[in-house]
């Protein structure tokens, strides 16, 4: 009886460690060079959204959505698309339909 209890406890411990390690590998790690030093000051949303929406097929829609997201999050990801995980607030904003709000 004592051996089976120890075996179950060991199996649970090993499974917990495996799950923890697999989740740790999936997590995005941001180094200090990717963190904006101006995160506490207000950014120029108009300029940042112009840059972000420069290649958009629907620039008016892109500017409107980006402006809303920038005003709420004070952050716009680098580049013209993608990289949304660098701004957590920007990345997590969704529409009522569950789609990503921010371009």
């Amino acid at each position: 009886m004592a051996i089976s209890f120890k075996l179950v406890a060991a199996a649970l411990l090993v499974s917990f460690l495996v799950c923890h390690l697999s989740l740790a590998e999936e997590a995005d790690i941001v180094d200090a060079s990717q963190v904006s030093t101006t995160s506490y000051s207000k950014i120029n949303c108009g300029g940042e959204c112009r840059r972000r929406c420069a290649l958009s097929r629907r620039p008016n829609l892109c500017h409107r959505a980006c402006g809303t997201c920038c005003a709420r999050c004070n952050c716009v990801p680098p580049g013209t698309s993608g990289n949304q995980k660098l701004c957590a607030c920007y990345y997590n904003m969704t529409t009522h339909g569950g789609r990503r709000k921010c371009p």
Side-chain angles (χ1 to χ4, degrees):
M1 184 75 149
I3 294 174
S4 65
F5 176 76
K6 288 181 182 179
L7 185 62
V8 169
L12 284 173
L13 181 63
V14 169
S15 65
F16 174 77
L17 290 174
V18 168
C19 288
H20 182 71
L21 290 175
S22 67
L23 290 175
E25 289 177 1
E26 291 177 8
D28 291 333
I29 299 172
V30 178
D31 63 353
S33 66
Q34 293 176 331
V35 176
S36 173
T37 56
T38 60
S39 62
Y40 296 109
S41 63
K42 195 74 172 159
I43 65 170
N44 177 7
C45 289
E48 288 296 313
C49 288
R50 261 191 306 281
R51 175 194 52 77
R52 181 75 176 172
C53 298
L55 302 178
S56 176
R57 291 182 302 178
R58 300 177 70 190
N60 291 338
L61 179 65
C62 183
H63 282 286
R64 188 175 66 227
C66 180
T68 300
C69 296
C70 179
R72 290 181 187 169
C73 300
N74 196 36
C75 180
V76 176
T80 55
S81 67
N83 302 317
Q84 291 179 337
K85 289 188 178 180
L86 294 177
C87 295
C89 170
Y90 198 94
Y91 178 74
N92 292 325
M93 244 188 231
T94 57
T95 63
H96 293 291
R99 297 174 60 193
R100 298 241 180 265
K101 178 178 184 67
C102 306

